[in-house]
Amino acid sequence: MTRSGSPYTYPEIRRIRRLLEEGHRPAEVAAIVGRTTQALGMMARKRWGMSPRRIYVAAMAQRLGRLLGLGHPVGHAAALLGIPTTTARHYALSHGWRHVGPITTGHWVQEEHPS
């Protein structure tokens, strides 16, 4: 227990964040650090203001965006990340990417936001 009363030490907190950003699912992270998923969720909401799932999804969407930007088809990018293709499409669409062209030969482009 730290001086602030938290059952988490600072190195443990950094490790949890790093594991989530590397693409480990919240349940896997909880098992690695020896906590319950509920306790991990409560700590993440208190410390970072978001659930562990949102941190994981944002990290996966960022990695997916890099692969799409390199020209990988969404199915190949999903396979590289170890997620289903439909999930990869959802992440891409919800994080500023859109599909242009025919379904079979089209490609993904990042939407530009007017400044």
Side-chain angles (χ1 to χ4, degrees), residues 25-100:
R25 289 176 171 81
E28 295 170 345
V29 174
I32 289 169
V33 297
R35 308 286 179 162
T36 64
T37 52
Q38 182 181 10
L40 182 74
M42 290 182 342
M43 184 277 296
R45 283 183 194 89
K46 182 178 179 182
R47 181 159 299 273
W48 300 308
M50 64 179 90
S51 72
R53 180 73 183 171
R54 289 187 71 173
I55 296 168
Y56 164 78
V57 168
M60 292 303 278
Q62 183 178 17
R63 294 169 75 194
L64 177 69
R66 276 193 229 121
L67 292 170
L68 292 176
L70 291 172
H72 286 277
V74 73
H76 293 175
L80 288 171
L81 296 176
I83 59 176
T85 304
T86 51
T87 303
R89 285 189 185 120
H90 173 74
Y91 288 175
L93 291 171
S94 64
H95 286 83
W97 289 83
R98 64 185 174 91
H99 189 267
V100 294

